[in-house]
């Protein structure tokens, strides 16, 4: 990185609630990097590409991309990673010598966060139930497939599950949203990729009574930190993870791409993020 081109940040709309600055600035400080503070930048929906070009002219070399620009900016990149190509969506832009490279660190972030909590042998050839078929679901399914899990996908709108099967070309089972409680007993992992359970949203009601003893439950929601789903799982002695893990681990992948350092993921950082909730 040249001394002049030293800015990083996250672009999206809305962006006010993004925790990415807390995460990246913690690591920038910890590693004593001579870059400017990581910023959050709200972009207009219109003329997106010219706004991004303007940021690059203004010395931004690394940008995280969040909702709703992940798909549109995929098409804007000069080159993209294999993962981005598969998902047709990016969350990380790196600008090198005027060329824009796009990648998607969500799948690796998810894999690393999950591997940090449970052994890979409890995923490979095991049954994973993914709830939801939106943008984040694609990354999770791609990641679980890479880990060798057998994925079952349930979504409120069945057609969207069918679309994911077509787009990702990954072998998986698709079932109706209403069948969740019938599927639970066969699951080794459940991942919620819907906003259900988030503050202001309805909860997902899962009956864990007949579930496997080693079932692990991962909720991508992190507001609140402990959703009703995670509380119910914990009350039934299941291991659990909340969405802050995925958020931090995908950020670590972007940080490594830009700064060449895999940052230290520690409790201090998580407690800073939890205090904001
Ligand atoms: P999205 O693309 O809008 O997809 C949302 C999914 O949730 C859709 O499949 C939708 O079903 C389903 N859904 C929404 N409301 C529902 C309801 N009332 N009942 C049943 N299903 C419902 O969203 P996303 O980008 O994937 O994000 C989903 C959640 O994950 C959000 O809470 C987000 O904050 C969280 N997330 C966390 C991380 C992290 O790093 N922790 C990363 C990404 C996202 P339909 O298809 O029927 O509409």
């Amino acid at each position: 990185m040249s001394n002049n081109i030293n800015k990083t940040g996250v672009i999206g709309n809305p962006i006010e609630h993004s925790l990415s600055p807390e995460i990246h600035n913690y690591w920038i400080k910890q590693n004593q990097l001579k870059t400017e503070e990581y910023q959050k930048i709200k972009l207009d929906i219109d003329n997106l590409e010219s706004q991004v070009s303007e940021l690059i002219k203004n010395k931004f070399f690394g940008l995280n991309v969040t909702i709703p620009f992940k798909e549109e900016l995929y098409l804007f990149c000069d080159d993209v990673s294999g993962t981005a190509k598969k998902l047709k969506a990016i969350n990380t832009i790196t600008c090198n010598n005027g060329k824009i490279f796009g990648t998607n660190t969500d799948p690796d972030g998810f894999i690393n966060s999950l591997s940090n909590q449970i052994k890979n042998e409890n995923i490979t050839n095991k049954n994973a139930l993914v709830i939801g078929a939106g943008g984040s679901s694609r990354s999770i399914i791609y990641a679980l497939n890479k880990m060798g899990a057998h994925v079952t996908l349930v979504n409120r709108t069945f057609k969207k599950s069918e679309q994911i099967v077509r787009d990702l070309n990954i072998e998986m089972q698709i079932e109706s949203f209403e069948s969740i409680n019938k599927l639970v007993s066969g699951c080794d992992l459940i991942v919620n990729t819907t906003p259900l359970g988030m503050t202001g949203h309805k909860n997902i009601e899962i009956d864990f009574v007949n579930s496997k003893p080693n079932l692990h439950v991962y909720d991508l929601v992190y507001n609140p930190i402990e959703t009703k789903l995670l509380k119910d799982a914990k009350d039934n002695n299941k291991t659990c993870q909340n969405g802050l893990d995925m958020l931090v681990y995908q950020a670590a992948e972007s940080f490594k791409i830009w700064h060449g350092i895999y940052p230290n993921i520690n409790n201090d950082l998580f407690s800073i993020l939890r205090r904001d909730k």
Side-chain angles (χ1 to χ4, degrees), residues 112-123:
N112 292 341
S113 67
L114 187 61
S115 303
N116 188 43
Q117 293 285 318
I118 56 173
K119 293 191 183 112
N120 281 10
E121 67 205 46
N122 290 334
I123 300 295

Side-chain angles (χ1 to χ4, degrees), residues 193-210:
T193 76
T194 75
L196 290 169
M198 227 167 118
T199 307
H201 291 251
K202 282 194 311 189
N203 290 311
I204 303 187
E205 303 291 343
I206 291 191
D207 182 355
F208 290 103
V209 170
N210 295 318

Side-chain angles (χ1 to χ4, degrees), residues 2 6 15 20 35 47 63 75 80 88 99 103 118 124 140 146 150 153 167 201 205 221 227 234 248 260 267:
S2 115
N6 59 5
I15 200 68
S20 296
T35 68
N47 301 320
L63 289 169
L75 299 168
V80 292
K88 294 198 171 42
K99 291 264 179 254
T103 189
I118 56 173
T124 309
I140 303 307
K146 213 169 146 184
H150 303 299
L153 173 61
D167 290 349
H201 291 251
E205 303 291 343
V221 172
T227 57
K234 211 161 105 188
V248 168
N267 287 337

Side-chain angles (χ1 to χ4, degrees), residues 6 23 25 27 30 42 53 56-57 61 63 94 107 132 138 158 165 176 185 189 206 215 223-224 230 248-249 251:
N6 59 5
I23 301 171
N25 287 327
W27 290 328
Q30 188 180 58
K42 185 175 176 181
S53 300
I56 290 167
K57 270 192 220 144
F61 78 101
L63 289 169
T94 312
R138 289 171 181 248
F158 194 79
V165 173
S176 71
S185 62
L189 170 71
I206 291 191
L215 170 65
N223 186 6
L230 294 188
V248 168
Y249 278 81

Side-chain angles (χ1 to χ4, degrees), residues 153-168:
L153 173 61
V154 295
N155 191 49
R156 180 177 60 179
T157 310
F158 194 79
K159 269 187 180 165
K160 276 174 79 176
S161 298
E162 292 177 319
Q163 190 63 48
I164 289 195
V165 173
R166 278 196 295 275
D167 290 349
L168 295 186

Side-chain angles (χ1 to χ4, degrees), residues 110-111 114-115 120 123-125 142-149:
F110 176 77
I111 290 172
L114 187 61
S115 303
N120 281 10
I123 300 295
T124 309
N125 289 322
Y142 175 75
L144 287 170
N145 181 257
K146 213 169 146 184
M147 295 177 90

Side-chain angles (χ1 to χ4, degrees), residues 1-226:
M1 184 205 349
S2 115
N3 278 344
N4 297 328
I5 305 170
N6 59 5
K7 294 185 188 172
T8 55
V10 56
I11 53 176
N13 187 341
I15 200 68
E16 293 76 13
H17 302 296
S18 172
L19 292 176
S20 296
E22 273 85 343
I23 301 171
H24 281 269
N25 287 327
Y26 179 87
W27 290 328
I28 286 174
K29 204 169 158 194
Q30 188 180 58
N31 289 283
Q32 300 178 331
L33 300 183
K34 289 187 178 61
T35 68
E36 289 197 18
E37 274 208 340
Y38 180 103
Q39 301 173 28
K40 52 182 162 194
I41 303 150
K42 185 175 176 181
L43 297 186
D44 293 333
I45 311 290
D46 298 327
N47 301 320
L48 180 61
E49 296 188 359
S50 63
Q51 295 172 78
V52 174
S53 300
E54 200 54 37
L55 288 173
I56 290 167
K57 270 192 220 144
N58 280 312
K59 319 290 185 209
F60 278 87
F61 78 101
L63 289 169
N64 282 130
V65 180
T66 187
I67 288 169
F69 303 136
K70 289 183 171 191
E71 288 84 15
E72 193 174 337
L73 286 179
Y74 165 78
L75 299 168
F76 177 62
C77 296
D78 296 308
D79 193 14
V80 292
S81 67
T83 304
K85 218 173 259 174
K86 189 82 182 171
L87 298 172
K88 294 198 171 42
I90 56 157
N91 76 341
T92 305
I93 281 176
T94 312
C95 187
N96 255 330
N97 301 322
K99 291 264 179 254
I100 296 171
F101 177 74
T103 189
N104 198 319
T105 65
D106 283 338
D108 281 347
F110 176 77
I111 290 172
N112 292 341
S113 67
L114 187 61
S115 303
N116 188 43
Q117 293 285 318
I118 56 173
K119 293 191 183 112
N120 281 10
E121 67 205 46
N122 290 334
I123 300 295
T124 309
N125 289 322
K126 296 288 196 288
N127 297 324
L129 176 66
V130 177
I131 305 172
S136 58
S137 167
R138 289 171 181 248
S139 289
I140 303 307
I141 292 168
Y142 175 75
L144 287 170
N145 181 257
K146 213 169 146 184
M147 295 177 90
H150 303 299
V151 175
T152 300
L153 173 61
V154 295
N155 191 49
R156 180 177 60 179
T157 310
F158 194 79
K159 269 187 180 165
K160 276 174 79 176
S161 298
E162 292 177 319
Q163 190 63 48
I164 289 195
V165 173
R166 278 196 295 275
D167 290 349
L168 295 186
N169 194 20
I170 285 174
E171 207 172 293
M172 67 185 114
Q173 194 180 330
I174 51 177
E175 298 289 346
S176 71
F177 190 83
E178 290 68 34
S179 61
I180 291 178
N181 276 312
K182 281 191 208 129
L183 297 165
V184 170
S185 62
C187 293
D188 300 284
L189 170 71
I190 296 178
V191 188
N192 173 38
T193 76
T194 75
L196 290 169
M198 227 167 118
T199 307
H201 291 251
K202 282 194 311 189
N203 290 311
I204 303 187
E205 303 291 343
I206 291 191
D207 182 355
F208 290 103
V209 170
N210 295 318
S211 61
K212 292 186 182 179
N214 287 338
L215 170 65
H216 184 74
V217 182
Y218 197 146
D219 199 334
L220 292 199
V221 172
Y222 51 83
N223 186 6
I225 299 292
E226 187 178 73

